[in-house]
Amino acid sequence: MEKEIWVPVTFTHIEYPKGDTLGMILAWFSLLPSFTVISFIPVIVLRRDLTTIFFFMGMFVNEGVNQVLKRVIAEPRPSRTASTVQWSQYGMPSAHSQFAGYFAMFVVLLFYVRISVVTFIIPLAKIWKHVLAAVTVLVSLAICYSRHYLKYHTEKQICAGFLVGLAIGAVWFIILEKFAGPYFPIIASMPICEMLLIKDYSLIPNTLWCEYHCIKTEMRSRAKKYIRPE
Amino acid sequence: MICVVCAISFLVLFARLLYVLFQVHYNDTSTPLHRVPPTFPKPVRLLAVAGSGGHTAELLQLLAAATAAPSSKSSCLSFSTRHYIVAKTDSMSQDKIEQFETTRNTETSVVISKIPRAREVGQSYLTSILTTVYSQLFCIPHVLRARPDILLVNGPGTCIPVCVFVFLLRVLGLCRGKIVYVESICRVNTLSLSAKILVFFADHVLVQWPQLASSYRCKYIGRLVS
């Protein structure tokens, strides 16, 4: 009779050398791609915005390309003798780095090509775009470095993954702007989108301000009619 | 994983298909369904299929009452787009439609598209299946462009591919596609083949002779066309 073997869920299992603080911090960075994908689900359920859904679909396309490339190139991971868990068989290109590249490229393009208007009142508001873009790029690079430090991939695999992610991010953004985007208003007016309350923000320059303003106006007009209970 | 996703989406689509068929077969407007009836956006998107000669004349007579001539002040349905589908070999219908539209208000946009004919008059039923599939493929881009709220058909064989595709889009939730079939005035005692097919999934099958009304789901509306 075989002794049963227990294995962890591979997506959430990141190993680092015991007692290594930097390793522990970088392990959390390695978890960020999984966290980001999961955190997109409440964003999509609450916001139901076609651009966000398109971004989310691109993550799956990115992952699909990564799975295909991994099987086609079939390069093994660097050996880790102290580890007991095998992540997946192949290592080229690195899926986490590819996600980091895709996310960074798409977010940067979104900030600099799509979002053109800033209408905040606080003085430093103009630089929020640059700060957020810089933070995104730095975090992506940290994810890539964590894959190297924790010995999940070789440098070549990480660089290849990052570049492929950047390329897919750029291509997906071009598809959004040139091919899919012009049809978003038509798609948003279809009965299925009206039933699921899926909307399209693409013509609104600053959605944060627009939502705030619309809800404030609505609350004001309702407050006038609302008779407060004594 | 992919199998699970496929199975779930297939079940969802099948449930949606049953729901739409239920909606179509139990659309008695005097007793509304438990929920509020669906509302159209105010200007309606119309798609009409024009068949050979007599069918087009009847169709235009129906539309003459529904649309406004520039001088009239009567309120009727407002159309945002009137999209006509004619058979490729049918230039007479196209001329009649263009002439009709010049007498109407110019606020609505009018589009006339051509597709290969699904069945010539008197063609054998066996070869009709092949030509119907052929014209089905060609009607897809036009129907996607039209995305009709109402599909008005009159009887020609060419309308069946269009009706099937509009029904499919309605099941998928991509257009509102209510199918209204008005049987030709020449069909006095028996329903045409198109009507017999459409009884299964058209919203309204309207006949112009009372003896036909006893057939399943046909409503007698009087002789609309002179």
Side-chain angles (χ1 to χ4, degrees), chain A residues 177-188:
Chain A
E177 284 292 302
K178 290 285 171 205
F179 300 109
Y183 290 102
F184 279 177
I186 296 177
I187 297 175

Side-chain angles (χ1 to χ4, degrees), chain A:
Chain A
M1 197 173 98
E2 270 179 31
K3 191 160 165 254
E4 63 174 7
I5 304 172
W6 289 63
V7 291
V9 178
T10 49
F11 270 113
T12 55
H13 187 88
I14 311 273
E15 290 178 326
Y16 62 95
K18 191 177 159 89
D20 186 357
T21 326
L22 180 62
M24 185 190 75
I25 296 172
L26 288 175
W28 280 100
F29 273 100
S30 253
L31 283 171
L32 277 181
S34 318
F35 288 177
T36 309
V37 171
I38 294 175
S39 73
F40 255 73
I41 296 182
V43 170
I44 287 179
V45 168
L46 288 175
R47 212 161 170 252
R48 296 173 313 278
D49 161 42
L50 279 175
T51 309
T52 315
I53 293 174
F54 197 74
F55 189 3
F56 191 60
M57 276 167 29
M59 288 181 190
F60 285 98
V61 167
N62 193 38
E63 188 59 31
V65 167
N66 183 262
Q67 295 286 329
V68 166
L69 279 177
K70 270 194 171 146
R71 279 164 179 76
V72 163
I73 301 178
E75 193 181 293
R77 289 178 178 264
S79 60
R80 304 164 81 233
T81 46
S83 162
T84 53
V85 177
Q86 186 59 284
W87 181 275
S88 69
Q89 205 183 351
Y90 302 121
M92 165 72 98
S94 158
H96 285 68
S97 312
Q98 194 173 334
F99 181 90
Y102 169 81
F103 194 83
M105 176 60 104
F106 200 92
V107 163
V108 162
L109 285 175
L110 211 62
F111 280 175
Y112 288 102
V113 175
R114 267 253 181 153
I115 301 178
S116 51
V117 173
V118 180
T119 51
F120 290 127
I121 309 174
I122 40 177
L124 288 175
K126 284 203 189 81
I127 66 166
W128 73 266
K129 210 163 57 167
H130 309 293
V131 166
L132 271 183
V135 164
T136 311
V137 170
L138 284 175
V139 167
S140 306
L141 293 174
I143 295 175
C144 294
Y145 181 65
S146 76
R147 302 307 281 166
H148 169 66
Y149 186 92
L150 299 172
K151 295 197 176 65
Y152 276 102
H153 293 281
T154 61
E155 294 91 340
K156 204 161 63 123
Q157 293 170 347
I158 296 170
C159 286
F162 194 68
L163 289 172
V164 171
L166 288 180
I168 293 183
V171 164
W172 199 246
F173 189 81
I174 291 174
I175 293 177
L176 171 70
E177 284 292 302
K178 290 285 171 205
F179 300 109
Y183 290 102
F184 279 177
I186 296 177
I187 297 175
S189 67
M190 286 177 174
I192 191 169
C193 290
E194 289 185 359
M195 206 163 57
L196 296 172
L197 298 177
I198 294 176
K199 44 197 192 284
D200 173 43
Y201 287 129
S202 56
L203 295 175
I204 301 177
N206 190 333
T207 55
L208 273 179
W209 183 84
C210 175
E211 274 177 24
Y212 179 69
H213 183 72
C214 290
I215 291 184
K216 205 162 154 187
T217 313
E218 181 74 15
M219 277 295 285
R220 247 189 245 138
S221 70
R222 282 178 186 266
K224 285 181 192 149
K225 302 179 211 160
Y226 179 61
I227 300 169
R228 214 168 279 278
E230 290 297 325

Side-chain angles (χ1 to χ4, degrees), chain B residues 27-66:
Chain B
N27 67 352
D28 184 13
T29 47
S30 58
T31 55
L33 294 175
H34 63 280
R35 58 167 181 76
V36 178
T39 49
F40 283 151
K42 266 304 164 187
V44 165
R45 301 175 67 96
L46 175 80
L47 178 63
V49 181
S52 43
H55 286 294
T56 311
E58 286 192 34
L59 183 77
L60 293 178
Q61 277 193 317
L62 290 173
L63 282 178

Side-chain angles (χ1 to χ4, degrees), chain B:
Chain B
M1 184 65 173
I2 296 184
C3 297
V4 171
V5 169
C6 279
I8 290 180
S9 47
F10 178 74
L11 282 174
V12 166
L13 274 178
F14 189 65
R16 168 74 185 162
L17 173 69
L18 291 180
Y19 176 75
V20 174
L21 282 175
F22 175 78
Q23 216 177 20
V24 157
H25 282 258
Y26 293 97
N27 67 352
D28 184 13
T29 47
S30 58
T31 55
L33 294 175
H34 63 280
R35 58 167 181 76
V36 178
T39 49
F40 283 151
K42 266 304 164 187
V44 165
R45 301 175 67 96
L46 175 80
L47 178 63
V49 181
S52 43
H55 286 294
T56 311
E58 286 192 34
L59 183 77
L60 293 178
Q61 277 193 317
L62 290 173
L63 282 178
T67 60
S71 54
S72 79
K73 288 199 183 60
S74 60
S75 67
C76 46
L77 270 180
S78 66
F79 294 103
S80 67
T81 315
R82 282 197 289 272
H83 193 127
Y84 295 91
I85 290 187
V86 301
K88 247 187 207 146
T89 50
D90 196 358
S91 55
M92 195 177 67
S93 290
Q94 191 183 356
D95 295 336
K96 274 195 203 164
I97 293 172
E98 282 170 3
Q99 203 181 14
F100 169 73
E101 284 296 338
T102 53
T103 66
R104 302 290 111 187
N105 271 332
T106 48
E107 284 159 10
T108 61
S109 61
V110 176
V111 182
I112 302 180
S113 308
K114 300 204 189 167
I115 62 172
R117 207 185 272 269
R119 181 174 170 266
E120 301 285 342
V121 176
Q123 188 179 351
S124 79
Y125 285 148
L126 195 59
T127 52
S128 298
I129 297 175
L130 294 170
T131 48
T132 306
V133 169
Y134 182 66
S135 84
Q136 172 87 71
L137 294 172
F138 272 87
C139 82
I140 288 176
H142 300 296
V143 174
L144 279 176
R145 184 178 159 195
R147 289 183 314 281
D149 295 329
I150 299 179
L151 173 66
L152 181 61
V153 281
N154 194 236
T158 320
C159 75
I160 295 295
V162 178
C163 292
V164 167
F165 194 63
V166 167
F167 186 73
L168 177 68
L169 286 187
R170 180 161 163 198
V171 167
L172 292 175
L174 302 179
C175 82
R176 282 169 195 85
K178 284 201 175 307
I179 303 177
V180 177
Y181 179 84
V182 183
E183 182 69 279
S184 169
I185 192 130
C186 344
R187 306 294 305 203
V188 179
N189 287 315
T190 54
L191 285 178
S192 62
L193 178 63
S194 306
K196 287 184 198 156
I197 295 173
L198 282 176
V199 153
F200 292 108
F201 59 92
D203 283 84
H204 302 278
V205 178
L206 309 172
V207 294
Q208 300 187 54
W209 290 96
Q211 53 264 40
L212 288 174
S214 52
S215 318
Y216 175 61
R217 278 191 72 214
C218 300
K219 296 191 199 96
Y220 170 61
I221 50 168
R223 290 194 274 285
L224 281 187
V225 178
S226 60

